[in-house]
Structures are given as C-alpha cells and as structure tokens.
C-alpha cells in the first residue's frame, strides 16, 4: 500500500509541525477509496492522485499535513482578511460560545446581529443603511436578486423581473446566482437554468470584444447595457448585477467611466444596480468597499468572504433606505422581505464579523491594502522582463497577471500550453498559493500582508515563471 509521503510531490518538505491528522490515517492518506468519501471542488480523480490537505495556519501561512509551509497569496479564497489564527477573532468566538451559539431566527434576532448590522451601516457609503445577514456568497447574491424582483412588485412595477449580468462572471452556485453567472464552464453542466437572466459582455479593455481601444471606445461595454434594457423593455428589467472588479474572467478592472455610466442607466430606467462585492468588499481594493474605490453607490451591495475573515460562515446584503422602506407596511398586503435562512444572523458568525470588522478599522487594513498592494504591483511589474506578461490588473490586494506569447501583439499562448496553470502549479510547489487559470493568475493575500511578504510572493513567481519558460524551451 502506498504511504502518505508518496503522495506529496510539491518539493522539499518543511519541518515537522504539530497538527491534527489522527482522522487521516497515515497509511491511507492519498488512497483513492479513502478520499472518495469527500467531494471537493477539484476533479476527484485528479485530487486523489495528489491530495492537497491543509493541517494548520497562522498569519499569512498554511502548513499541509506533511509539514510543508505555504505563503497564502489568495487568503484561502479571498476570505482570510485579517490573517489566520487571529487572536482577537478567536477569543471573541470562544467567549460567545459560552453565552449564546444559536438564536431562534424564525421569531427574531439577537444582540450581536443587530450590532453587526449597525456597524456595517456605519462604515457603508451613502444611504446603504439596512442589512440582511446570511451565511455565504451564493445566499446573499440570491437574496439580492429576489429582493430586486420583490421590490418592484411592491412599488407598482410587477412586470420587472429580468436580471442583466455579464459573461465571465461568477455569482454563486444556487439556482438564481448560478443563472446570473456568465462562466460557461460552470453553467453548461447544469443547464437549463432559471429563465429571465440576460448576459452582456464585460469591460475587458485588454481584449475588447468590440475591437475598440480605450479611451476612444466611448465605453461601448456600458452603453450597450442601456441598449439591452431598451430592447428587452425597461418595464421588464429588474436589476443589473456586476462585480465591480470581475474575478473569474481574469481580474476584469473596468475603465473609470464604466460604473458611473451603469449607475446613470439604471436610474434612467428604474432598474436596481447590484454590486456583488463578495470578493472586493471589506478592504480588499484599498477601501472598505469597491463602491468607494470607484465612487459609485449601488442600490444593493453584497459582501461575504472577508466579512468574517473565514472564522465562521457569514455574508450580508446592504440596501439603500428607499428600498428597505418598501418592505415596511401592513402584513396583510406586505409580507416583508421573504427570504429566511436557518443560520442568518447566527451569533457565532456575527461575533466573528464584529471582531474582523474591528480589526480592519482599528488597524487601518484598508490603507495597508492600498500601500502594500501598490508595493506588490510594482514587484509584479518587474516580472515583465520575462517577456510574457501582457497585462497587470486590479486594485489594492486584488491583482491579476495575464500571460501572453507576445506582449506587443497580445498573442495568447495556445490552450495546450495553459501557461497560467503551469506557473501557478510551479508556484505551489515552491510554497505559494495563487488562483490560476490557463492564461492568468490572481493574487489576493490577507490584508495584513507586509512589504517583505509581498516581495516573497514576487520572488516565488519570478522563479516559477523562469523555470516554466526553460521547460517550454526544452520541449520545443
């Protein structure tokens, strides 16, 4: 039988560390039959060949079950905003466990949920001053879609139900959020999806789908959304939902005029503007919300991931006052916002959110995201010397790098080479976690990242790119 050491092929092992591995028998770690019992995001047959299982974490680092250390260049998955094993958050959770771990959500709320809602309102821009607490990203984007539809029904526009979103986007795995998503690879296996969802092209300036060049493009990617609203009939369109900076399309950073134009179009046609800030919220872009980074106020704003720092499942939808007011009234004719979830406003999740938010505010981690993000970006710019970096995109500590065969012509590598995956996997071997796709990688480290740690990220990427290019040259 193969032992667990034979299933670690990620380079030299680090020192032994204390870890809880008793639930993974050494002689069975990596055994396909043993691993069939858990479904993960990866293709299961691939995962079973080389299982990637973390044992512990601290600060900006993970250690796997073999003791190897990894620099967390992606905050788990854009979640660990205030770092791993944060004492303040862990202590708050421990104390709360002794007081109240669950409250009767069907009948009301609890003091921590009320306090978290008020704290979020206090840091939110504009009149985003009502909050719905939920458990995760899919739940909260689903809630925003249903709230938009119910809002129009309550305010005399019952035919408004269509949702406009973008190709290459990802809003979640539930039926509504998945239907809004525009990532073909994740949608196709689950179709047919819900009706009433329309997709438009995203603002991919580096590879404009309309063959134009910024700034002479007149922001066609935004103006066409107005054309779509008019063609569908404004009386049928409820909302436009976008990620201020798209993730799954390769860190799609819009031109400065894009989101203000969307705001104006939505106002003109009585369409709600929803920002999916599951990733970009809670300091990631250098402000508490990307809405502030771009200076545009949405009608509904969804946050998750970094809201609780990963210490408990938590998400929140913030809505503007005039929208919240529509859900007040006589219960006989107005049932309120009909969206109940078992763990909404859970006391443990809320205390984690309160402690995480306090860390972000009191340590000014938004400023750290801006400053260290700029430092990291300068380091990434230095990697252009390898001759394969086409574009570097993003804000704060949310950055992406697109690789091309020829930076002058933007000619991509062939799908067969999958350069982004090669570099991302090589970086993993050298102890750096990133998000990688065939032609790009993304970084989103914890907001506590230091300049020194940013330099380590760049150094590992530098080494990884160089090694992959040598390998490609040798196989010609």
């Amino acid at each position: 039988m193969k032992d667990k050491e034979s299933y670690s092929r990620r380079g030299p092992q680090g020192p032994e560390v204390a870890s809880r591995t008793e639930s993974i028998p050494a002689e069975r770690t990596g055994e396909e039959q043993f691993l069939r019992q858990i479904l993960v995001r990866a293709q299961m047959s691939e995962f079973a060949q080389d299982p990637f299982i973390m044992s512990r974490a601290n600060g900006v680092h993970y250690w796997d079950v073999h003791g190897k250390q990894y620099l967390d260049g992606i905050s788990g998955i854009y979640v660990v905003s205030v770092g791993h094993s944060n004492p303040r958050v862990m202590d708050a959770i421990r104390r709360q466990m002794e007081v109240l771990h669950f409250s009767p959500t069907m009948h009301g709320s609890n003091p921590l949920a009320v306090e978290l809602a008020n704290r979020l309102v206090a840091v939110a821009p504009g009149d985003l001053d009502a909050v719905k607490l939920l458990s995760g990203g899919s739940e909260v984007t689903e809630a925003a879609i249903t709230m938009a539809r119910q809002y129009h029904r309550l305010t005399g526009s019952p035919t408004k139900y269509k949702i406009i979103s973008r190709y290459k986007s990802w809003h979640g795995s539930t039926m509504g959020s998945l239907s809004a998503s525009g990532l073909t690879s994740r949608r196709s296996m689950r179709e047919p999806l819900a009706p009433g969802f329309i997709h438009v092209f995203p603002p991919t300036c580096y590879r404009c789908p309309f063959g134009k060049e910024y700034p002479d493009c007149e922001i066609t990617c935004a103006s066409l959304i107005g054309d779509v609203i008019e063609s569908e009939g404004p009386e049928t369109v409820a909302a436009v939902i976008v990620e201020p900076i798209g993730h799954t399309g390769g860190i799609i950073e819009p031109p400065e005029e894009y989101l203000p134009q969307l705001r104006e179009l939505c106002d003109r046609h009585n369409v709600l503007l929803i920002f999916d800030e599951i990733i970009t919220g809670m300091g990631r872009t250098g402000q508490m919300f990307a809405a502030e980074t771009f200076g545009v106020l949405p009608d509904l704003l969804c946050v998750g991931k970094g809201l609780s720092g990963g210490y408990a499942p938590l998400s929140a939808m913030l809505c503007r006052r005039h929208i919240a007011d529509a859900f007040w009234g006589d219960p006989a004719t107005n049932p309120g916002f009909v969206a109940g979830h078992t763990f909404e406003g859970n006391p443990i999740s809320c205390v984690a959110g309160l402690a995480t938010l306090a860390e972000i505010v009191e340590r000014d981690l938004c400023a750290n995201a801006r400053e260290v993000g700029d430092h990291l970006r300068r380091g990434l710019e230095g990697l252009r010397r390898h001759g394969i970096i086409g574009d570097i995109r993003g804000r704060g500590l949310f950055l992406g790098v697109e690789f091309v065969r020829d930076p002058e012509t933007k000619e991509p590598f062939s799908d067969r080479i999958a350069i982004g995956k090669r570099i991302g996997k090589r970086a993993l071997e050298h102890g750096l976690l990133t998000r990688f796709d065939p032609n790009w990688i993304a970084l989103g480290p914890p907001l506590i990242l230091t300049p020194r740690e940013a330099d380590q990220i760049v150094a590992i990427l530098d080494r990884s790119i160089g090694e992959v290019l040598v390998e490609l040259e040798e196989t010609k």
Side-chain angles (χ1 to χ4, degrees):
M1 180 177 290
K2 297 178 180 178
D3 62 25
K4 74 173 184 178
E5 201 65 31
S6 67
Y7 282 90
S8 180
R9 298 192 292 276
R10 297 191 173 87
Q13 299 301 304
E16 290 295 322
V17 295
S19 62
R20 288 192 168 187
T21 58
E22 59 267 28
S23 62
I24 305 175
E27 71 276 9
R28 300 187 70 186
T29 301
E31 186 179 348
E32 182 176 343
Q33 184 61 39
F34 179 62
L35 291 171
R36 279 181 178 273
Q37 297 170 8
I38 180 170
L39 296 175
V40 298
R41 289 191 178 192
Q43 166 50 245
M44 288 305 301
S45 60
E46 183 179 15
F47 172 70
Q49 290 298 312
D50 193 9
F52 189 59
I53 304 175
M54 289 303 183
S55 174
R56 72 180 185 97
N58 188 61
V60 297
H61 292 94
Y62 277 108
W63 286 264
D64 67 18
V65 291
H66 309 294
K68 181 178 176 180
Q69 185 185 72
Y70 299 83
L71 179 53
D72 186 4
I74 199 168
S75 301
I77 183 63
Y78 307 111
V79 172
V80 188
S81 51
V82 296
H84 300 274
S85 301
N86 183 289
R88 180 180 200 160
V89 183
M90 293 191 300
D91 288 346
I93 292 173
R94 290 190 192 102
R95 290 193 301 270
Q96 184 58 37
M97 287 291 290
E98 298 177 356
V99 179
L100 177 70
H101 81 281
F102 189 86
S103 62
T105 54
M106 181 174 287
H107 301 285
S109 189
N110 63 81
L112 291 163
V114 174
E115 183 180 357
L116 179 58
N118 279 276
R119 293 284 182 87
L120 285 171
V121 166
V123 298
D127 62 343
L128 288 165
D129 61 0
V131 177
K132 175 73 171 180
L133 296 171
L134 298 127
S135 302
S138 297
E139 270 190 15
V140 74
T141 51
E142 187 93 17
I145 290 167
T146 57
M147 174 171 265
R149 288 174 168 174
Q150 190 182 349
Y151 166 78
H152 287 299
R153 183 174 292 274
L154 290 172
T155 55
S157 301
T159 61
K160 280 180 167 287
Y161 72 97
K162 295 175 184 174
I163 308 296
I164 297 175
S165 57
R166 304 189 305 208
Y167 291 115
K168 299 183 182 292
S169 65
W170 180 249
H171 298 291
S173 299
T174 55
M175 184 55 71
S177 60
L178 178 61
S179 299
S181 299
L183 197 63
T184 303
S185 60
R186 297 188 187 180
R187 288 169 50 93
S188 58
M189 296 298 291
R190 301 181 235 187
E191 291 178 328
L193 300 175
F197 290 85
I198 300 156
H199 294 84
V200 296
F201 287 105
T204 47
C205 286
Y206 185 68
R207 297 188 183 279
C208 178
F210 312 108
K212 299 186 177 184
E213 291 286 340
Y214 179 80
D216 299 325
C217 60
E218 299 180 327
I219 320 298
T220 301
C221 49
S223 63
L224 280 180
I225 294 177
D227 295 339
V228 169
I229 292 173
E230 292 176 359
S231 297
E232 291 290 330
E235 72 281 0
T236 71
V237 180
V240 173
I241 180 170
V242 298
E243 302 159 284
I245 300 176
H247 173 229
T248 48
I251 316 302
I252 301 172
E253 182 182 1
E256 293 293 337
E257 301 91 336
Y258 179 82
L259 291 173
Q261 285 195 25
L262 284 195
R263 178 70 275 175
E264 191 277 327
L265 288 169
C266 288
D267 288 341
R268 186 192 313 168
H269 296 294
N270 187 26
V271 170
L272 298 191
L273 179 59
I274 303 170
F275 277 5
D276 176 349
E277 292 215 39
I278 307 303
I279 292 177
T280 59
M282 310 316 298
R284 175 63 52 193
T285 65
Q287 301 288 345
M288 189 64 75
F289 305 100
E292 297 170 283
T293 299
F294 291 100
V296 175
L297 184 68
D299 298 298
L300 302 172
L301 189 153
C302 303
V303 291
K305 292 189 180 289
L307 176 58
S308 73
Y311 291 90
L314 180 65
S315 60
M317 176 180 63
L318 289 75
C319 67
R320 297 180 67 184
R321 172 47 52 194
H322 70 280
I323 295 171
D325 286 346
F327 293 86
W328 285 70
D330 184 352
T333 58
N334 186 333
F337 181 45
V338 185
H341 295 271
T342 301
F343 286 93
E344 64 178 72
N346 177 267
I348 303 302
S349 295
C350 288
V351 79
L354 285 165
T356 298
L357 183 56
E359 284 282 275
I360 293 172
V361 171
E362 293 176 19
R363 296 175 61 180
D364 201 2
L365 295 182
C366 293
N368 193 66
R370 291 194 302 273
E371 294 162 8
V372 180
D374 288 345
H375 181 84
L376 177 57
R377 188 175 193 129
R378 288 192 293 272
L380 295 175
E381 290 286 349
L383 301 181
R384 289 186 185 274
R385 65 183 180 80
H386 289 285
I388 62 167
I389 292 182
D391 199 21
I392 299 173
R393 302 183 284 265
R395 299 287 184 94
L397 285 173
F398 185 38
L399 299 170
V401 179
E402 181 171 342
F403 301 105
V404 295
R405 182 178 292 278
D406 186 340
E408 291 296 321
T409 65
K410 302 181 184 180
E411 177 192 355
F413 283 90
S414 70
D415 292 340
R416 176 186 60 82
I417 291 177
I419 188 74
K421 286 187 175 181
R422 287 175 184 252
I423 293 170
K425 289 180 178 179
R426 181 55 56 87
L428 193 61
E429 292 176 8
H430 294 315
L432 172 65
L433 284 167
T434 67
R435 163 73 154 91
F436 48 82
D437 260 48
N439 291 304
W440 55 273
I441 63 168
L443 296 166
L447 305 184
I448 62 171
L449 193 78
T450 65
R452 177 177 172 273
E453 291 158 346
D455 291 341
Q456 291 173 354
I457 290 174
V458 173
I460 294 175
L461 287 176
D462 190 10
R463 177 183 176 185
S464 301
I465 293 171
E467 290 177 355
V468 167
L469 289 178
V470 168
E471 287 181 358
L472 290 176
E473 186 65 28
E474 290 175 346
T475 56
K476 282 186 178 179

